[in-house]
Amino acid sequence: MNTLLYALVSALRCHRWLRMLACAFLFTSLGNGLTQVLVFGLLLDWQAPASLLTLAYLFATLPGFLGSLVGEKLCHSFSPITLLVATECLGLAALLFPLLGIHFHSITALLAVHSTEAFLSGMSWPALTLLFKRGLSEAELPAATCLENIIFASQVLAGTGLGIVLFHSLPAMTLVGIDALTFAGSLLMLMLAGRSLPSLAPYHAAETARPVAMRWLTLTPQQKRSLLLLPALAAVGSPAMALLPALAQQIEPEDAAGLALPLLFARSLGQLCGPLLLKRDSLPHFASQNRLLLLCLGLFLIAYGVIPLLSGVQILGVVFLAHLASNIVFAAGTFSVLSSFQATEVSSASGKAWRWQTVSASLFTCIAALVAASLGPMQALYSVSTGALLMVAGIMLRYRQ
């Protein structure tokens, strides 16, 4: 067996702290997925306009820019596990926003929880990457790539699946209570992971080394390319993901929530399965091939482009295939950052990649929202994502290996 999943299983068997960390983020992802279903479900039930549904994606990404700056700076003074515990505590406190939103029927409060989660995700990303770099050997980095992908996908895979089942069956307040329980479980797992961290003794030298300031002009072409892969994915994928609820509203105006929530689940399932198709030994080669990565992004865009021609289960299948392709690029981008930088640089590199990804997603989401308001969601998808794909092709050509 040479798959990324097998590499992850092997690493989990060797490191108790990694097992506890994985459990912690699965708990958090479950809760965040529930929150996402709750927010989008209520927005659709309250008949929010298409432009606002698109901007909701912006509020779920842009604060991550500031969060990554904070997380990168704090990594210089605190251990990664301490920062991860802090983000979970703040995430638990942020559940006050949906409570206020439900009680006062406030769209602003619902969007605030998205912004807070984005900030905390950006804050935790440098700490998580640094922990992987210090705690795992070079040969085990594909396992970290696989785990990051599972964390990313399960945020709405498990949570969305459960949310779809429970959204119209339980009161909204009860869903928030379940979310709070998942955060409590995550905090417990992180504390158990912290007790296992003395096993990282061979890597403690990296913890005491002073961070190295990164300058773009001093980076190698490979390092520059690794920093640009995730922003490139965001440029092509963000308009489509931001427009997904609005597309559902256009296709099924009488039952937008009934279509949008299964679409979110299909999207997340594709995000989970895509990188698992890759082999561990072939990941470095795949991550260096511009042609293959552009092919994946092109397939993603084509899949979304044929949505208006389909219906029902066919739409779910196409969305699944689209994100199967896009998250292969996500796996390549996360692996490139982990493998291209030393332990003293990786928190800074991952923070920059996260910020550039956030700026890219926010910029193209804003453009998509403006175009959707005047021309409609499908026209916005065709024009904005196609333009982004051409731009990405030019960037990859500039930094080809």
Side-chain angles (χ1 to χ4, degrees), residues 25 27-40 56-68 86-99 108-126 151-152 154-156 159-160 175-176 178-180 182-183 267 354 358:
F25 274 95
F27 272 119
T28 301
S29 298
L30 177 64
N32 288 341
L34 278 172
T35 303
Q36 186 181 49
V37 170
L38 180 64
V39 170
F40 276 110
Y57 185 84
L58 175 65
F59 289 116
T61 55
L62 187 57
F65 183 95
L66 180 60
S68 68
T87 59
E88 293 303 299
C89 291
L90 293 173
L92 180 60
L95 293 181
L96 290 173
F97 288 120
L99 290 177
T108 302
L110 292 181
L111 296 178
V113 70
H114 265 336
S115 298
T116 304
E117 287 183 357
F119 176 85
L120 295 176
S121 294
M123 181 176 167
S124 65
W125 183 264
I151 290 169
F152 175 76
S154 63
Q155 178 167 342
V156 280
T160 301
L175 293 179
V176 177
I178 295 173
D179 198 349
T182 63
F183 274 100
R267 183 187 81 182
W354 183 277
T358 300

Coordinates of all heavy atoms in Angstrom, one line a residue, residues 25 27-40 56-68 86-99 108-126 151-152 154-156 159-160 175-176 178-180 182-183 267 354 358:
F25 N -9.3 17.7 16.1 CA -9.7 18.5 14.9 C -10.9 17.9 14.3 O -11.7 18.5 13.6 CB -8.6 18.7 13.9 CG -7.7 19.9 14.2 CD1 -6.6 19.7 15.0 CD2 -8.1 21.1 13.8 CE1 -5.8 20.8 15.3 CE2 -7.3 22.2 14.1 CZ -6.2 22.1 14.8
F27 N -13.4 16.6 16.1 CA -14.4 17.2 16.9 C -14.7 18.6 16.4 O -15.9 19.0 16.3 CB -14.0 17.2 18.4 CG -14.3 15.9 19.1 CD1 -13.3 15.2 19.7 CD2 -15.6 15.5 19.3 CE1 -13.6 14.0 20.4 CE2 -16.0 14.4 20.0 CZ -15.0 13.6 20.5
T28 N -13.7 19.4 16.3 CA -13.9 20.8 15.9 C -14.5 20.9 14.5 O -15.4 21.7 14.3 CB -12.5 21.5 15.8 OG1 -11.9 21.5 17.1 CG2 -12.7 23.0 15.4
S29 N -14.1 20.0 13.6 CA -14.7 20.1 12.2 C -16.2 19.7 12.2 O -17.0 20.3 11.5 CB -13.9 19.1 11.3 OG -12.6 19.5 11.2
L30 N -16.5 18.7 13.1 CA -17.9 18.4 13.2 C -18.8 19.6 13.7 O -19.8 19.9 13.1 CB -18.1 17.2 14.2 CG -19.5 16.8 14.5 CD1 -20.1 16.2 13.3 CD2 -19.5 15.7 15.7
G31 N -18.3 20.3 14.7 CA -19.0 21.5 15.2 C -19.0 22.6 14.1 O -20.1 23.2 14.0
N32 N -17.9 22.8 13.5 CA -17.9 23.9 12.5 C -18.9 23.6 11.3 O -19.5 24.5 10.7 CB -16.5 24.1 11.9 CG -15.6 24.8 13.0 OD1 -16.1 25.4 13.9 ND2 -14.3 24.7 12.8
G33 N -18.9 22.3 10.9 CA -19.9 21.9 9.9 C -21.3 22.2 10.3 O -22.2 22.6 9.5
L34 N -21.6 21.8 11.5 CA -23.0 22.1 12.0 C -23.3 23.6 12.0 O -24.4 24.0 11.6 CB -23.1 21.6 13.5 CG -23.4 20.1 13.7 CD1 -23.2 19.7 15.2 CD2 -24.7 19.7 13.2
T35 N -22.3 24.4 12.4 CA -22.5 25.8 12.4 C -22.8 26.3 11.0 O -23.6 27.2 10.7 CB -21.3 26.6 13.0 OG1 -21.1 26.1 14.3 CG2 -21.6 28.1 13.1
Q36 N -22.0 25.8 10.0 CA -22.2 26.2 8.6 C -23.6 25.9 8.1 O -24.2 26.7 7.5 CB -21.1 25.6 7.7 CG -21.2 26.1 6.3 CD -20.2 25.4 5.4 OE1 -20.0 24.2 5.4 NE2 -19.4 26.2 4.7
V37 N -24.1 24.7 8.4 CA -25.4 24.3 8.0 C -26.5 25.2 8.7 O -27.4 25.7 8.0 CB -25.7 22.8 8.4 CG1 -27.2 22.5 8.2 CG2 -24.9 21.9 7.5
L38 N -26.3 25.5 9.9 CA -27.2 26.3 10.7 C -27.3 27.7 10.0 O -28.3 28.3 9.8 CB -26.8 26.4 12.1 CG -27.6 27.3 13.0 CD1 -29.0 26.7 13.2 CD2 -27.0 27.4 14.4
V39 N -26.1 28.3 9.8 CA -26.0 29.7 9.2 C -26.7 29.7 7.8 O -27.6 30.6 7.6 CB -24.6 30.2 9.2 CG1 -24.5 31.5 8.4 CG2 -24.1 30.4 10.6
F40 N -26.2 28.9 6.9 CA -26.7 28.9 5.6 C -28.2 28.5 5.5 O -29.0 29.1 4.7 CB -25.9 28.1 4.6 CG -24.7 28.7 4.1 CD1 -23.4 28.3 4.5 CD2 -24.8 29.8 3.2 CE1 -22.3 29.0 4.0 CE2 -23.6 30.4 2.7 CZ -22.4 30.0 3.1
A56 N -21.5 36.0 2.1 CA -21.3 35.2 3.3 C -20.1 34.4 3.2 O -19.4 34.2 4.2 CB -22.5 34.3 3.5
Y57 N -19.7 34.0 2.0 CA -18.5 33.2 1.8 C -17.3 34.2 2.0 O -16.2 33.7 2.6 CB -18.4 32.7 0.4 CG -17.2 31.8 0.1 CD1 -17.2 30.5 0.5 CD2 -16.1 32.3 -0.5 CE1 -16.1 29.7 0.2 CE2 -15.0 31.5 -0.7 CZ -15.0 30.2 -0.4 OH -13.9 29.4 -0.6
L58 N -17.4 35.4 1.6 CA -16.4 36.4 1.9 C -16.1 36.6 3.4 O -15.0 36.6 3.9 CB -16.7 37.7 1.2 CG -15.8 38.9 1.5 CD1 -14.4 38.6 0.9 CD2 -16.4 40.2 0.9
F59 N -17.2 36.7 4.1 CA -17.1 36.8 5.6 C -16.5 35.6 6.2 O -15.9 35.6 7.3 CB -18.4 37.1 6.2 CG -18.9 38.5 5.9 CD1 -20.1 38.7 5.2 CD2 -18.3 39.6 6.4 CE1 -20.6 39.9 4.9 CE2 -18.7 40.9 6.1 CZ -19.9 41.1 5.4
A60 N -16.6 34.4 5.5 CA -16.0 33.2 6.1 C -14.6 33.0 5.7 O -14.0 32.0 6.0 CB -16.8 32.0 5.6
T61 N -14.0 34.0 4.9 CA -12.6 33.8 4.5 C -11.7 35.0 4.9 O -10.6 34.8 5.3 CB -12.5 33.6 3.0 OG1 -13.2 34.7 2.3 CG2 -13.1 32.3 2.6
L62 N -12.2 36.2 4.6 CA -11.3 37.4 4.8 C -10.7 37.6 6.1 O -9.5 37.9 6.2 CB -12.1 38.7 4.4 CG -11.3 40.0 4.3 CD1 -10.2 39.9 3.3 CD2 -12.3 41.1 3.9
P63 N -11.4 37.4 7.3 CA -10.8 37.5 8.6 C -9.6 36.6 8.8 O -8.8 36.8 9.7 CB -11.9 37.3 9.6 CG -13.1 37.6 8.8 CD -12.9 37.1 7.4
G64 N -9.5 35.5 8.0 CA -8.3 34.6 8.1 C -7.0 35.3 7.9 O -6.0 34.9 8.3
F65 N -7.0 36.4 7.1 CA -5.8 37.2 6.8 C -5.2 37.7 8.1 O -4.0 37.5 8.4 CB -6.1 38.3 5.8 CG -4.9 39.1 5.4 CD1 -4.3 38.8 4.2 CD2 -4.5 40.1 6.2 CE1 -3.2 39.6 3.8 CE2 -3.4 40.9 5.8 CZ -2.7 40.6 4.6
L66 N -6.0 38.4 8.9 CA -5.6 38.9 10.2 C -5.2 37.8 11.1 O -4.2 37.8 11.8 CB -6.7 39.8 10.8 CG -6.3 40.5 12.1 CD1 -5.1 41.3 12.0 CD2 -7.5 41.3 12.6
G67 N -6.0 36.7 11.1 CA -5.8 35.6 12.0 C -4.4 34.9 11.7 O -3.7 34.6 12.7
S68 N -4.0 34.8 10.5 CA -2.7 34.2 10.2 C -1.6 35.1 10.6 O -0.5 34.6 11.0 CB -2.6 33.9 8.6 OG -2.6 35.1 7.9
A86 N -5.8 27.7 22.7 CA -6.4 29.0 22.7 C -7.5 29.3 21.7 O -8.5 29.8 21.9 CB -5.3 30.1 22.6
T87 N -7.2 28.8 20.5 CA -8.2 29.0 19.4 C -9.5 28.2 19.7 O -10.6 28.7 19.3 CB -7.6 28.5 18.0 OG1 -7.2 27.2 18.1 CG2 -6.4 29.4 17.6
E88 N -9.3 27.0 20.3 CA -10.5 26.3 20.6 C -11.4 26.9 21.7 O -12.6 27.0 21.6 CB -10.2 24.8 21.0 CG -9.6 24.0 19.9 CD -10.5 23.9 18.7 OE1 -11.6 23.4 18.9 OE2 -10.1 24.3 17.6
C89 N -10.7 27.5 22.6 CA -11.4 28.3 23.7 C -12.2 29.5 23.1 O -13.3 29.7 23.4 CB -10.4 28.7 24.8 SG -9.7 27.4 25.8
L90 N -11.5 30.2 22.2 CA -12.1 31.3 21.6 C -13.3 30.9 20.6 O -14.3 31.5 20.5 CB -11.1 32.1 20.7 CG -10.0 32.8 21.6 CD1 -9.0 33.4 20.6 CD2 -10.6 33.9 22.4
G91 N -13.1 29.7 20.0 CA -14.2 29.2 19.1 C -15.4 28.8 19.9 O -16.5 29.1 19.5
L92 N -15.2 28.3 21.1 CA -16.3 28.0 22.0 C -17.1 29.3 22.4 O -18.3 29.3 22.4 CB -15.8 27.2 23.2 CG -16.9 26.8 24.3 CD1 -17.9 25.9 23.7 CD2 -16.2 26.1 25.5
A93 N -16.3 30.3 22.8 CA -16.9 31.6 23.1 C -17.7 32.2 22.0 O -18.7 32.9 22.2 CB -15.8 32.5 23.6
A94 N -17.2 32.0 20.7 CA -17.8 32.6 19.6 C -19.2 32.0 19.3 O -20.0 32.6 18.5 CB -17.0 32.3 18.3
L95 N -19.6 30.9 20.0 CA -21.0 30.4 19.8 C -22.0 31.3 20.3 O -23.2 31.1 20.1 CB -21.1 29.0 20.4 CG -20.3 27.9 19.8 CD1 -20.5 26.6 20.5 CD2 -20.6 27.8 18.3
L96 N -21.6 32.4 21.0 CA -22.6 33.4 21.5 C -23.2 34.1 20.3 O -24.4 34.6 20.3 CB -21.9 34.4 22.4 CG -21.5 33.9 23.8 CD1 -20.6 35.0 24.5 CD2 -22.7 33.6 24.6
F97 N -22.4 34.2 19.2 CA -23.0 34.9 18.0 C -24.2 34.2 17.4 O -25.2 34.9 17.1 CB -21.9 35.1 16.9 CG -20.8 36.1 17.3 CD1 -19.5 35.7 17.4 CD2 -21.2 37.4 17.5 CE1 -18.5 36.6 17.7 CE2 -20.2 38.4 17.8 CZ -18.9 38.0 17.9
P98 N -24.2 32.9 17.1 CA -25.4 32.3 16.6 C -26.5 32.3 17.6 O -27.7 32.4 17.2 CB -25.0 30.8 16.3 CG -23.7 30.6 17.0 CD -23.0 31.9 17.1
L99 N -26.2 32.3 18.9 CA -27.3 32.4 19.9 C -28.0 33.7 19.8 O -29.2 33.8 19.8 CB -26.7 32.2 21.3 CG -26.3 30.8 21.7 CD1 -25.6 30.8 23.1 CD2 -27.4 29.8 21.6
T108 N -26.7 39.8 10.7 CA -25.3 40.3 11.1 C -24.6 39.3 12.1 O -23.5 39.0 12.0 CB -25.4 41.7 11.7 OG1 -26.0 42.6 10.8 CG2 -24.0 42.2 12.1
A109 N -25.4 38.9 13.1 CA -24.8 38.0 14.1 C -24.4 36.6 13.5 O -23.4 36.0 13.8 CB -25.8 37.8 15.2
L110 N -25.3 36.2 12.5 CA -24.9 34.9 11.8 C -23.7 35.0 11.0 O -22.8 34.1 11.0 CB -26.1 34.5 10.9 CG -27.4 34.1 11.6 CD1 -28.4 33.7 10.6 CD2 -27.2 32.9 12.6
L111 N -23.5 36.2 10.3 CA -22.3 36.4 9.6 C -21.1 36.6 10.5 O -19.9 36.2 10.1 CB -22.4 37.6 8.7 CG -23.5 37.5 7.6 CD1 -23.6 38.8 6.8 CD2 -23.2 36.3 6.7
A112 N -21.3 37.1 11.7 CA -20.2 37.3 12.6 C -19.5 36.0 13.1 O -18.3 35.9 13.3 CB -20.7 38.1 13.9
V113 N -20.3 34.9 13.2 CA -19.8 33.6 13.6 C -18.9 33.1 12.5 O -17.8 32.5 12.7 CB -20.8 32.6 14.0 CG1 -21.7 32.2 12.8 CG2 -20.2 31.4 14.7
H114 N -19.3 33.3 11.2 CA -18.4 33.0 10.1 C -17.1 33.7 10.1 O -16.0 33.1 9.9 CB -19.1 33.3 8.7 CG -19.9 32.2 8.2 ND1 -19.6 30.9 8.4 CD2 -20.9 32.1 7.3 CE1 -20.4 30.1 7.8 NE2 -21.2 30.8 7.1
S115 N -17.1 35.0 10.4 CA -15.9 35.8 10.5 C -15.0 35.3 11.6 O -13.8 35.3 11.4 CB -16.3 37.3 10.7 OG -17.0 37.8 9.6
T116 N -15.6 35.0 12.7 CA -14.8 34.6 13.9 C -14.1 33.2 13.6 O -12.9 33.0 13.9 CB -15.7 34.4 15.1 OG1 -16.3 35.7 15.4 CG2 -14.8 34.1 16.3
E117 N -14.9 32.3 13.0 CA -14.3 31.0 12.6 C -13.1 31.2 11.6 O -12.1 30.5 11.7 CB -15.3 30.1 12.0 CG -16.3 29.5 13.1 CD -17.3 28.6 12.5 OE1 -17.3 28.4 11.2 OE2 -18.1 28.0 13.2
A118 N -13.3 32.1 10.7 CA -12.2 32.4 9.7 C -11.0 32.9 10.4 O -9.9 32.5 10.1 CB -12.7 33.4 8.6
F119 N -11.2 33.9 11.3 CA -10.0 34.4 12.0 C -9.3 33.3 12.8 O -8.1 33.2 12.8 CB -10.5 35.5 13.0 CG -9.5 36.1 13.9 CD1 -8.7 37.1 13.4 CD2 -9.2 35.5 15.1 CE1 -7.7 37.6 14.2 CE2 -8.2 36.1 16.0 CZ -7.4 37.1 15.5
L120 N -10.0 32.5 13.5 CA -9.4 31.4 14.3 C -8.8 30.3 13.4 O -7.7 29.8 13.8 CB -10.5 30.8 15.2 CG -11.0 31.7 16.3 CD1 -12.1 31.0 17.1 CD2 -10.0 32.3 17.2
S121 N -9.3 30.1 12.3 CA -8.7 29.1 11.4 C -7.4 29.6 10.8 O -6.4 28.9 10.8 CB -9.6 28.8 10.2 OG -10.8 28.2 10.6
G122 N -7.4 30.9 10.5 CA -6.1 31.5 10.1 C -5.1 31.6 11.2 O -3.9 31.4 11.0
M123 N -5.5 31.8 12.4 CA -4.6 31.8 13.6 C -4.0 30.4 13.9 O -2.9 30.3 14.2 CB -5.4 32.3 14.8 CG -4.6 32.4 16.1 SD -5.6 33.2 17.4 CE -4.6 32.8 18.8
S124 N -4.8 29.4 13.6 CA -4.3 28.0 14.0 C -3.5 27.4 12.9 O -2.7 26.5 13.2 CB -5.5 27.1 14.2 OG -6.3 26.9 13.1
W125 N -3.6 27.9 11.6 CA -2.9 27.3 10.5 C -1.4 27.3 10.7 O -0.7 26.2 10.5 CB -3.3 27.9 9.2 CG -2.7 27.3 8.0 CD1 -1.6 27.7 7.3 CD2 -3.2 26.2 7.3 NE1 -1.3 26.9 6.3 CE2 -2.3 25.9 6.2 CE3 -4.2 25.3 7.5 CZ2 -2.4 24.9 5.3 CZ3 -4.4 24.3 6.6 CH2 -3.5 24.1 5.5
P126 N -0.7 28.4 11.0 CA 0.7 28.4 11.2 C 1.2 27.5 12.3 O 2.2 26.8 12.3 CB 1.1 29.8 11.5 CG 0.0 30.6 10.9 CD -1.2 29.8 11.1
I151 N -9.0 17.1 7.8 CA -9.5 18.1 8.7 C -10.3 19.2 7.9 O -11.4 19.6 8.3 CB -8.3 18.8 9.4 CG1 -7.7 17.9 10.4 CG2 -8.8 20.1 10.1 CD1 -6.4 18.4 11.0
F152 N -9.7 19.6 6.8 CA -10.4 20.5 5.9 C -11.7 20.0 5.4 O -12.8 20.7 5.4 CB -9.5 20.9 4.7 CG -10.1 21.8 3.7 CD1 -10.3 23.2 4.0 CD2 -10.5 21.3 2.5 CE1 -10.8 24.0 3.1 CE2 -11.1 22.2 1.6 CZ -11.3 23.5 1.8
S154 N -13.6 17.3 6.5 CA -14.6 16.9 7.5 C -15.3 18.1 8.2 O -16.3 17.9 8.9 CB -13.9 16.0 8.6 OG -12.9 16.7 9.3
Q155 N -14.7 19.3 8.0 CA -15.3 20.5 8.6 C -16.8 20.6 8.1 O -17.7 21.0 8.9 CB -14.6 21.7 8.2 CG -15.2 23.0 8.8 CD -14.3 24.2 8.7 OE1 -13.1 24.1 8.6 NE2 -14.9 25.4 8.8
V156 N -17.0 20.2 6.9 CA -18.4 20.2 6.4 C -18.9 18.9 6.0 O -20.1 18.7 5.7 CB -18.6 21.3 5.3 CG1 -18.7 22.7 5.8 CG2 -17.5 21.2 4.3
G159 N -20.0 17.4 9.7 CA -20.9 18.4 10.2 C -22.1 18.6 9.3 O -23.2 18.8 9.8
T160 N -21.8 18.7 8.0 CA -22.9 19.0 7.1 C -23.8 17.8 7.0 O -25.1 17.9 7.0 CB -22.4 19.3 5.7 OG1 -21.5 20.5 5.8 CG2 -23.5 19.6 4.7
L175 N -28.9 22.7 18.1 CA -27.8 22.5 17.3 C -26.5 23.3 17.8 O -25.4 22.8 17.7 CB -28.1 23.0 15.8 CG -29.1 22.2 15.1 CD1 -29.4 22.7 13.7 CD2 -28.7 20.7 15.0
V176 N -26.8 24.5 18.3 CA -25.7 25.3 18.9 C -25.1 24.6 20.1 O -23.9 24.5 20.4 CB -26.1 26.7 19.3 CG1 -25.0 27.5 20.0 CG2 -26.6 27.4 18.0
I178 N -25.1 21.3 20.6 CA -24.3 20.2 20.1 C -22.9 20.7 19.7 O -21.9 20.0 19.9 CB -25.0 19.4 19.0 CG1 -26.3 18.8 19.5 CG2 -24.1 18.4 18.4 CD1 -27.2 18.2 18.4
D179 N -22.9 21.8 19.0 CA -21.7 22.4 18.6 C -20.7 22.7 19.8 O -19.5 22.4 19.7 CB -22.0 23.7 17.8 CG -20.8 24.2 17.0 OD1 -19.7 23.6 17.1 OD2 -21.0 25.1 16.2
A180 N -21.3 23.2 20.9 CA -20.5 23.5 22.1 C -19.9 22.2 22.6 O -18.7 22.2 23.1 CB -21.4 24.2 23.1
T182 N -18.9 19.6 20.9 CA -17.8 19.2 20.1 C -16.6 20.0 20.4 O -15.4 19.5 20.4 CB -18.1 19.4 18.6 OG1 -18.4 20.8 18.3 CG2 -19.4 18.6 18.2
F183 N -16.7 21.3 20.7 CA -15.6 22.1 21.1 C -15.0 21.6 22.4 O -13.8 21.6 22.6 CB -16.0 23.6 21.2 CG -15.9 24.4 20.0 CD1 -17.1 24.6 19.2 CD2 -14.7 24.8 19.5 CE1 -17.0 25.3 18.0 CE2 -14.6 25.5 18.3 CZ -15.8 25.8 17.6
R267 N -20.0 18.5 -2.1 CA -18.7 19.2 -2.2 C -17.7 18.7 -1.2 O -16.6 18.5 -1.5 CB -19.0 20.7 -1.9 CG -17.8 21.6 -2.1 CD -18.1 23.0 -1.7 NE -18.0 23.2 -0.2 CZ -18.3 24.3 0.4 NH1 -18.7 25.4 -0.3 NH2 -18.2 24.4 1.7
W354 N -1.4 31.3 3.6 CA -2.8 31.4 4.1 C -3.3 32.8 3.8 O -4.5 33.0 3.3 CB -2.9 31.1 5.6 CG -4.3 31.2 6.1 CD1 -5.0 32.3 6.5 CD2 -5.2 30.1 6.3 NE1 -6.2 31.9 6.9 CE2 -6.4 30.6 6.8 CE3 -5.0 28.7 6.1 CZ2 -7.5 29.8 7.2 CZ3 -6.1 27.9 6.5 CH2 -7.3 28.4 7.0
T358 N -6.3 33.9 1.3 CA -7.4 34.6 1.8 C -7.7 35.9 0.9 O -8.8 36.1 0.5 CB -7.2 35.1 3.2 OG1 -7.0 33.9 4.0 CG2 -8.4 35.9 3.7

